Amino acid sequence: MTHMNEPHITTYLRAYSARRRCSANHKGNMRNAARYLERYEEYVGHNIDSKDFDYLCIESFFAYMRQNYDLRHNTIIKIAQTIVACVNRMRKEGIQVGRDYEDFPLKEEEVTTVALSDEEIERVYNLKLSKKSAIIRDLFVFACETGLRYSDLIALQDDNIRDGILTVRTSKTGALVCIPLRRRARQIIVKHGGVVKYKDSQTNFNRCVKTLCRKAGITEKVLCEYTRGTRFVRRSIPKYKLVSSHTGRRSFATNAYFAGIPTVRIMLITGHKTEQAFFRYIRVGKKENAKALSELPFFK
């Protein structure tokens, strides 16, 4: 199948998403990007061929998205990045494309994320729950204790654990990590007679985890700032509403850091390549930082 006579980006996006071996989520992202680009084509009155896709084109598309859709800035960025990746693929296949489109800054806003303290995790751990909710709770706490991504968490097998050490090759990077199991993780393994088995969706998992954190009293307000469409939004929302499956991973990294474990050792588990990336990842508030510093001899 050749695309040399099919220079329309939307045509290529749909064809590529249909034939490429990738996750359903990624295929959906490509189809979604094609839909928005088609709406933009209707807006400007002509199709966008690959040769037309240059700096001014993506700048115009980005402005159109901001002015016409009430989407978060990062959502628009991801749509634009998907289109840019498509055009890059077209160029590699010998199709003529525009110039300088990669110079347009597609920078994501820093998202407000949270981590749970050890004390908050303990409160979630001690909740009295139904069997179904307890499975999700135990899986979430296990993530907080190990720093595993959701995809690795639900794929765990009993033979991943030997003598209190969890060994797994992560699905995202292929890195082999070895994690000593903390108290709550060990207790969860004993309770379930092995790793926790969860068969429902990640969407349901995230919804339930928010409810569990609300029940555990994790309701302090967190200031969130972001751009939606052309508006800058500033609002305070309860912390539990920001909790998701990935919060477990952030909580592990943050709590390990506050416990005084050298960052290089934590990074061997989380997979961060640089300390700069690691410190962007963990959640260290100014108050928590000051409290940790106050325990050092320098401040005594």
Side-chain angles (χ1 to χ4, degrees), residues 91-126:
R91 183 175 64 190
K92 288 180 180 177
E93 293 187 9
I95 300 171
Q96 182 184 357
V97 301
R99 299 180 60 187
D100 302 327
Y101 61 88
E102 289 185 292
D103 292 338
F104 184 79
L106 293 176
K107 185 177 181 181
E108 294 185 7
E109 288 182 327
E110 185 174 347
V111 179
T112 302
T113 55
V114 296
L116 302 188
S117 67
D118 251 353
E119 185 270 334
E120 288 172 326
I121 296 168
E122 188 70 14
R123 276 151 52 190
V124 174
Y125 186 54
N126 289 330

Side-chain angles (χ1 to χ4, degrees), residues 161-270:
I161 299 171
R162 286 286 181 271
D163 301 321
I165 304 291
L166 189 158
T167 303
V168 63
R169 190 170 295 281
T170 61
S171 59
K172 183 175 181 179
T173 65
L176 186 69
V177 297
C178 299
I179 310 165
L181 295 184
R182 303 183 72 204
R183 169 184 61 87
R184 289 176 293 233
R186 295 195 302 269
Q187 291 173 348
I188 288 168
I189 293 297
V190 171
K191 174 183 174 182
H192 291 266
V195 298
V196 183
K197 299 297 184 183
Y198 177 69
K199 302 297 183 183
D200 211 331
S201 68
Q202 186 174 5
T203 300
N204 183 64
F205 181 90
N206 286 335
R207 186 186 304 117
C208 186
V209 163
K210 286 176 171 60
T211 300
L212 296 175
C213 288
R214 178 177 56 78
K215 288 181 178 178
I218 304 171
T219 56
E220 66 179 272
K221 293 296 181 69
V222 177
L223 179 64
C224 295
E225 298 177 322
Y226 54 89
T227 304
R228 182 181 286 278
T230 57
R231 298 177 292 115
F232 180 71
V233 180
R234 195 171 193 264
R235 57 193 288 248
S236 294
I237 65 174
K239 184 175 180 178
Y240 72 85
K241 289 189 175 183
L242 296 173
V243 175
S244 68
S245 57
H246 208 66
T247 304
R249 184 166 160 79
R250 290 187 184 278
S251 299
F252 171 83
T254 303
N255 292 328
Y257 173 75
F258 277 132
I261 298 174
T263 55
V264 66
R265 292 189 181 275
I266 305 172
M267 287 162 59
L268 285 173
I269 293 175
T270 62

Side-chain angles (χ1 to χ4, degrees), residues 15-181:
Y16 189 57
S17 67
R19 79 179 197 274
R20 187 183 175 194
R21 292 183 179 178
C22 58
S23 69
N25 183 57
H26 191 51
K27 287 176 181 287
N29 288 340
M30 286 189 276
R31 290 192 295 268
N32 188 50
R35 281 193 294 270
Y36 278 112
L37 189 57
E38 284 167 347
R39 293 173 190 174
Y40 173 72
E41 289 175 333
E42 291 179 10
Y43 175 76
V44 296
H46 61 84
N47 289 329
I48 307 298
D49 292 346
S50 56
K51 62 180 174 55
D52 301 323
F53 194 76
D54 56 13
Y55 188 98
L56 291 177
C57 180
I58 190 171
E59 184 181 49
S60 174
F61 173 75
F62 196 82
Y64 160 80
M65 291 293 293
R66 287 193 67 191
Q67 292 164 7
N68 291 277
Y69 298 98
D70 194 34
L71 297 174
R72 293 277 289 261
H73 172 84
N74 287 357
T75 301
I76 298 175
I77 288 289
K78 285 183 171 61
I79 292 168
Q81 287 173 338
T82 300
I83 295 171
V84 167
C86 167
V87 175
N88 286 341
R89 172 61 61 179
M90 295 174 83
R91 183 175 64 190
K92 288 180 180 177
E93 293 187 9
I95 300 171
Q96 182 184 357
V97 301
R99 299 180 60 187
D100 302 327
Y101 61 88
E102 289 185 292
D103 292 338
F104 184 79
L106 293 176
K107 185 177 181 181
E108 294 185 7
E109 288 182 327
E110 185 174 347
V111 179
T112 302
T113 55
V114 296
L116 302 188
S117 67
D118 251 353
E119 185 270 334
E120 288 172 326
I121 296 168
E122 188 70 14
R123 276 151 52 190
V124 174
Y125 186 54
N126 289 330
L127 288 172
K128 303 298 182 184
L129 302 167
S130 67
K131 184 177 180 181
K132 187 175 181 180
S133 294
I135 289 173
I136 293 176
R137 184 269 313 279
D138 289 348
L139 194 67
F140 176 68
V141 171
F142 199 83
C144 293
E145 298 285 81
T146 60
L148 287 179
R149 294 181 181 88
Y150 178 82
S151 57
D152 296 319
L153 199 63
I154 60 171
L156 283 179
Q157 302 295 322
D158 291 343
D159 58 8
N160 286 119
I161 299 171
R162 286 286 181 271
D163 301 321
I165 304 291
L166 189 158
T167 303
V168 63
R169 190 170 295 281
T170 61
S171 59
K172 183 175 181 179
T173 65
L176 186 69
V177 297
C178 299
I179 310 165
L181 295 184

